Amino acid sequence: MSQLLPENAPNIGFIGYGAMASRMGAHLQKAGFTVTAYTPSGKSSNPSVRMFPSPRELAGHADTVIVCVPDDEALAASMYGENGTLAGLKSGAMLINTSSVSPEATAQLAEAGHKAGITVLDAPVSGSTPEADSGNLVVLVGGSAPDVAKAQPIFDAIGKVTVHAGPSGSGTRLKLVINGIMGAGLSALAEAVGYGLAAGLDRTMLFDALDQVAVISPHHKRKLKAAKEGNFAPQFPGRLMQKDMRLLLDAAAREAVPVPTLAATTQMLSLGRRRHPDEDYSALIGVMEKIVANDA
């Protein structure tokens, strides 16, 4: 990661400072940036981060604002209106949206920023809290090449790779593709584990064997190891994964792309969210295991 900052390195304000944003903020501070934040609760676990009472006040003190909120509704609530971020940003400022939201919300924000003379990049990240902790996120950016280059020192501080996906909106769409693959893989893994247990395979042998085969991704092997121990601490909460699948289904329907596998995956992840909304989305493995155990 680059540690060389320009002499006029921007002051960065975060809208949303939860599990992912606080970890990104810590890396930015280590890289020499000044970091401030706004959260609806007005609280931060990091005493070195100054908190502001509204998005507008935060934006008025920042050169660059990074948004990290859970969904379209939270994005709209923090961006628009008399106390919103856009009301406080000065013309020429930069707004980087790392949230996983719909293409429509991304387009609306880009248009509003353009009217206000603000550069807007959609830059969701691929990775969970472990990658955010280690600064190894993959940043998926939509916007013009010059604007991406201007923001590169920020991306270098929080991630290991920056993918310039294309013009505005491309980062958002690429994130939906990636999360769709991630969700489908986990759902298939949960169902297959359920079958293996119901068929009488030894649980320890099954989990250990799956950890050795090449057909399962490193990400899903990490989930499998945690599931073996019954550990579903939220690295990526089920409510957020199910939300992303819902966004992908809607986006695919708008393009008239048939996605029956992803539709079925969304139903499975809805089950996981219903049972364990705030635990990791891999809790679906535990749900399937419990179903099998109860039916035995």
Side-chain angles (χ1 to χ4, degrees):
M1 294 182 296
S2 172
Q3 299 296 318
L4 299 176
L5 300 181
E7 293 183 2
N8 59 340
N11 294 320
I12 297 176
F14 273 88
I15 300 295
Y17 209 62
M20 292 293 288
S22 60
R23 288 166 167 82
M24 290 190 279
H27 283 292
L28 288 163
Q29 285 181 311
K30 290 177 184 177
F33 291 95
T34 299
V35 174
T36 57
Y38 161 80
T39 64
S41 68
K43 298 178 181 179
S44 168
S45 60
N46 185 346
S48 70
V49 175
R50 179 184 177 186
M51 303 298 292
F52 282 87
S54 73
R56 179 174 182 165
E57 290 189 51
L58 172 95
H61 287 81
D63 304 302
T64 297
V65 168
I66 298 177
V67 190
C68 191
V69 296
D71 51 35
D72 287 19
E73 292 76 15
L75 182 67
S78 62
M79 292 295 105
Y80 308 114
E82 62 180 0
N83 288 313
T85 302
L86 291 173
L89 278 174
K90 307 174 186 69
S91 178
M94 177 173 285
L95 180 62
I96 301 173
N97 183 22
T98 66
S99 315
S100 295
V101 295
S102 69
E104 291 72 33
T106 296
Q108 181 184 8
L109 183 58
E111 181 180 357
H114 178 73
K115 289 180 180 179
I118 296 164
T119 298
V120 178
L121 297 175
D122 51 290
V125 296
S126 180
S128 300
T129 50
E131 289 78 21
D133 257 332
S134 61
N136 284 316
L137 295 168
V138 176
V139 188
L140 316 168
V141 192
S144 72
D147 290 337
V148 174
K150 184 178 179 182
Q152 194 62 56
I154 294 173
F155 300 146
D156 286 345
I158 65 173
K160 64 176 181 179
V161 175
T162 301
V163 178
H164 183 195
S168 179
S170 300
T172 293
R173 292 178 173 87
L174 180 56
K175 178 62 185 293
L176 292 181
V177 170
I178 292 169
N179 278 19
I181 295 169
M182 186 165 66
L186 191 282
S187 180
L189 182 59
E191 292 179 26
V193 166
Y195 160 72
L197 295 173
L201 292 177
D202 177 77
R203 184 180 187 275
T204 298
M205 180 283 297
L206 175 61
F207 278 78
D208 289 347
L210 293 175
D211 187 49
Q212 299 300 317
V213 296
V215 296
I216 299 176
S217 73
H219 170 83
H220 290 118
K221 285 184 179 181
R222 188 171 76 200
K223 300 300 183 186
L224 191 68
K225 287 179 180 179
K228 180 183 178 183
E229 305 301 324
N231 176 14
F232 302 111
Q235 297 178 350
F236 188 6
R239 58 186 168 80
L240 297 183
M241 171 54 90
Q242 188 265 0
K243 176 264 302 182
D244 286 352
M245 295 302 299
R246 173 175 55 81
L247 293 178
L248 177 54
L249 284 189
D250 180 71
R254 290 173 186 271
E255 301 293 341
V257 176
V259 288
T261 300
L262 298 178
T265 295
T266 304
Q267 298 304 310
M268 288 296 293
L269 290 169
S270 291
L271 172 63
R273 176 177 179 171
R274 172 66 61 177
R275 298 286 182 85
H276 304 286
D278 296 315
E279 292 189 79
D280 194 79
Y281 85 107
S282 59
L284 181 60
I285 298 173
V287 170
M288 288 298 296
E289 186 170 357
K290 187 173 182 181
I291 288 172
V292 170
N294 287 344
D295 289 346

